[in-house]
Amino acid sequence: MVGRPDEGQAFQQPYGGDRAWAQELLEQLRPAGRDLRRLVDWLARTVSASVCLQDDRGGLLAGARLPLDSAVVADVAAGRLSAASLDDGVRHVRLVGIRHPGPGPAAGAVLAVARPEPFDRRATEILGHTAGLLELLLGERESAESGRRLRRATADLRLAILQLLMVEDTVSARRVAAGLWPGLLEQDTARVYVLEDAAAERDRLADACVDATAGGALVVRCPAVDEHVIVVGPSAEVERRLRSLVAGRPRTFLGGSPRQQLALTATAYGQAVTALAVSRFRPDRYAVYAARTRPARLMDPAALRGWAAAVLRPLDTLPHHVRAELLATTRLGLEFTAVNAAKVLGVSRNTVRARMDRVASLLGADLSRLPVRAVAHAALNTEAAHGPYDFSGGAPGSPARTRLTELLGTSALRSWAEGLLGRLDEDGRDLRATLRAWTAADAHAERAAQVLGVHAQTVREHVRAAEPVLERRLTAGGTDLYEVVLAHLATGELPVPDLGVPGTGAANPDQPDSSVQR
């Protein structure tokens, strides 16, 4: 056994004046030629040998696996030997430890070269310089891999923070964010933005968002939509920088929410997605969610909160953290598909369905029915926006005295509902009748078509035609669709489900995967 043949990395004058192999070895350092397999193959040809490069655990990195003395290989890999020479009478073997870039004597890889002739000075010199070059390439690869692991860990951490915000756990989200991004979530409010580009460009877009916002925003690759990047930005400067970024990327679109409380990040996300759809028709490819009259704003605040509290009161017997988890999951499941809600939360689809089924059972609500989903959505959003209701207050509009029919029966609500649905009356295709039948059929085009005596495709076309008239997304489900359902409830075109009365409705064990059935 001998010491390492490549002590000192500087190139010496090649033995015998043979400069050809040295020039070929230097070619391996070119950016296009930095490949372990290519270098090992070159070494095998140049010294007329069989060559094997394996990692410190015995995994083959390049070349062809050779029969080797495992004890000697272990000594070289552990750094107890820097190199070794073996001769079994048939072949001559050299083992060289390729040092790991980190601290310690252990080798990151072991280079084995076997040939029938003894190693002359030329072969030894080539082997030594090749080992040095392999050390450089392995170090470069390890650095690149470490960088990828760090970026992946950082991306996973950003996603975890977003998931905590989505379930309204702002305390934990701030605690997690404080270590890497101090002050990022100190404010109680923020805007949510969604950027869209081709899926193949998503990673570059996310990196560009991180650079543009300079640590002033939470940038997350959307776990549900491959083309989307989600940005949570507390400051107005974030919007300006994202708009500047989009201006330089002709195939990128940007949608933003109004400022929302951090606990309403899920609501803000839905608003940003809605604005993103509008941005495709804007010359600057940017849109903010348009403020418009919401039905909840036309209801008596105290009565609305009391009604919502009555609807959700069966859940008050649960431990606080369990109740919060169930409600946050159900809000997302009602706003998006159960599949996408699961991706956003980082749980399985079955977990989302199980949590929603439990809520449905406790509320006595059949969430397969679209009107019931719309009413449950209104109750959940009311509590999310205003916090838990104080039952001891005894204020007018307390839970015992308020029903949904009373909230929807005011002149303000009826006027809003008639104004919204009345936009459809001018279309000669009778879009209003189609939409009424479609919502009554729980958004099933086929069932609505049977009632109307038309083809299901006609129903779908009419529903899509109603979207720009109402300025709301209907086929995607979520807040826009539920507002249209509430309008039908207010005008009396759909019966009002009263979730505030125990025993009305039953939970459906076959919870649908999507927010609306199609």
Side-chain angles (χ1 to χ4, degrees):
M1 298 184 182
V2 299
R4 181 170 179 147
D6 65 322
E7 294 297 336
Q9 297 299 321
F11 268 100
Q12 306 294 326
Q13 174 69 20
Y15 177 70
D18 181 6
R19 295 180 177 274
W21 69 262
Q23 184 61 38
E24 291 174 3
L25 184 57
L26 286 173
E27 290 291 330
Q28 307 294 327
L29 284 173
R30 294 182 180 275
R34 294 181 182 180
D35 182 84
L36 293 176
R37 292 184 178 87
R38 178 177 173 180
L39 179 55
V40 166
D41 290 343
W42 173 87
L43 176 61
R45 292 193 308 270
T46 305
V47 300
S48 300
S50 298
V51 182
C52 169
L53 179 67
Q54 62 186 49
D55 61 28
D56 55 353
R57 295 179 297 276
L60 185 65
L61 298 177
R65 193 173 292 281
L66 298 175
L68 301 169
D69 188 316
S70 58
V72 178
V73 171
D75 285 340
V76 174
R80 291 185 289 271
L81 294 173
S82 62
S85 296
L86 305 173
D87 182 358
D88 59 8
V90 178
R91 59 180 188 156
H92 300 269
V93 180
R94 291 286 180 91
L95 298 176
V96 180
I98 308 299
R99 286 192 294 269
H100 195 279
V110 176
L111 176 65
V113 181
R115 54 186 247 160
E117 298 82 11
F119 282 81
D120 56 18
R121 184 173 176 182
R122 176 182 180 273
T124 300
E125 187 176 7
I126 293 174
L127 173 58
H129 287 302
T130 303
L133 184 52
L134 283 170
E135 185 173 305
L136 291 175
L137 295 183
L138 285 171
E140 180 182 58
R141 191 172 78 162
E142 177 63 25
S143 296
E145 182 61 30
S146 296
R148 283 192 291 270
R149 287 195 296 266
L150 179 59
R151 288 192 295 272
R152 178 59 185 269
T154 304
D156 289 345
L157 185 58
R158 290 192 181 106
L159 175 59
I161 295 170
L162 177 67
Q163 290 169 341
L164 290 170
L165 292 175
M166 286 288 194
V167 296
E168 304 170 25
D169 191 352
T170 57
V171 174
S172 296
R174 283 174 168 142
R175 185 179 297 119
V176 174
L180 288 179
W181 303 283
L184 176 62
L185 300 178
E186 282 186 354
Q187 299 184 34
D188 292 329
T189 60
R191 290 181 172 89
V192 175
Y193 305 90
V194 177
L195 296 93
E196 180 180 273
D197 205 330
E201 292 292 318
R202 205 254 297 263
D203 286 348
R204 283 185 284 271
L205 175 59
D207 291 340
C209 290
V210 171
D211 293 339
T213 55
L218 180 68
V219 180
V220 181
R221 292 163 176 80
C222 179
V225 183
D226 291 340
E227 296 80 9
H228 288 183
V229 174
I230 303 170
V231 179
V232 180
S235 71
E237 178 68 13
V238 171
E239 178 178 330
R240 185 188 68 78
R241 295 189 178 191
L242 291 179
R243 292 189 66 175
S244 178
L245 173 65
V246 169
R249 301 174 64 96
R251 297 185 179 180
T252 303
F253 301 92
L254 172 63
S257 75
R259 186 171 290 278
Q260 293 280 14
Q261 296 177 3
L262 285 179
L264 294 179
T265 298
T267 298
Y269 169 60
Q271 293 172 340
V273 171
T274 298
L276 179 67
V278 177
S279 72
R280 297 187 183 95
F281 306 99
R282 298 283 178 86
D284 58 355
R285 289 168 281 112
Y286 168 68
V288 177
Y289 185 75
R292 59 193 184 211
T293 302
R294 297 293 182 189
R297 295 181 180 179
L298 301 175
M299 301 178 188
D300 177 78
L304 175 61
R305 292 185 62 191
W307 165 79
V311 170
L312 302 177
R313 194 166 193 177
L315 282 74
D316 292 348
T317 58
L318 300 173
H320 175 75
H321 70 281
V322 174
R323 183 183 189 276
E325 181 180 69
L326 291 178
L327 292 185
T329 301
T330 303
R331 283 183 63 218
L332 281 175
L334 292 174
E335 189 68 40
F336 310 107
T337 66
V339 173
N340 285 348
K343 291 178 180 178
V344 170
L345 292 174
V347 298
S348 71
R349 181 182 66 181
N350 288 339
T351 298
V352 172
R353 294 177 63 173
R355 291 175 184 175
M356 294 183 69
D357 284 345
R358 186 176 181 187
V359 171
S361 178
L362 289 170
L363 299 184
D366 182 358
L367 293 180
S368 69
R369 299 301 312 279
L370 182 55
V372 176
R373 293 172 75 85
V375 171
H377 180 267
L380 291 169
N381 277 2
T382 298
E383 180 177 292
H386 300 286
Y389 184 85
D390 182 7
F391 284 92
S392 63
S398 64
R401 299 172 56 184
T402 304
R403 297 172 65 93
L404 182 58
T405 51
E406 298 171 16
L407 293 173
L408 296 174
T410 64
S411 58
L413 254 296
R414 290 188 60 86
S415 176
W416 166 81
E418 288 291 353
L420 177 64
L421 299 178
R423 301 179 194 177
L424 302 172
D425 293 338
E426 298 180 5
D427 193 290
R429 292 170 292 181
D430 200 0
L431 299 182
R432 184 166 181 174
T434 302
L435 188 59
R436 179 171 57 248
W438 183 71
T439 53
D442 301 320
H444 279 278
E446 291 79 5
R447 296 213 310 252
Q450 292 176 359
V451 173
L452 296 171
V454 298
H455 195 278
Q457 186 59 30
T458 301
V459 174
R460 297 187 184 97
E461 291 174 356
H462 284 194
V463 172
R464 285 194 292 268
E467 290 183 320
V469 178
L470 299 177
E471 297 179 337
R472 285 164 172 82
R473 299 182 307 156
L474 302 177
T475 55
T479 298
D480 284 358
L481 174 60
Y482 297 144
E483 285 190 358
V484 173
V485 173
L486 290 179
H488 282 94
L489 298 178
T491 59
E493 295 174 73
L494 286 178
V496 178
D498 195 342
L499 270 66
V501 178
T504 58
N508 180 13
D510 299 321
Q511 177 65 33
D513 290 341
S514 60
S515 57
V516 292
Q517 299 183 44
R518 298 179 180 86

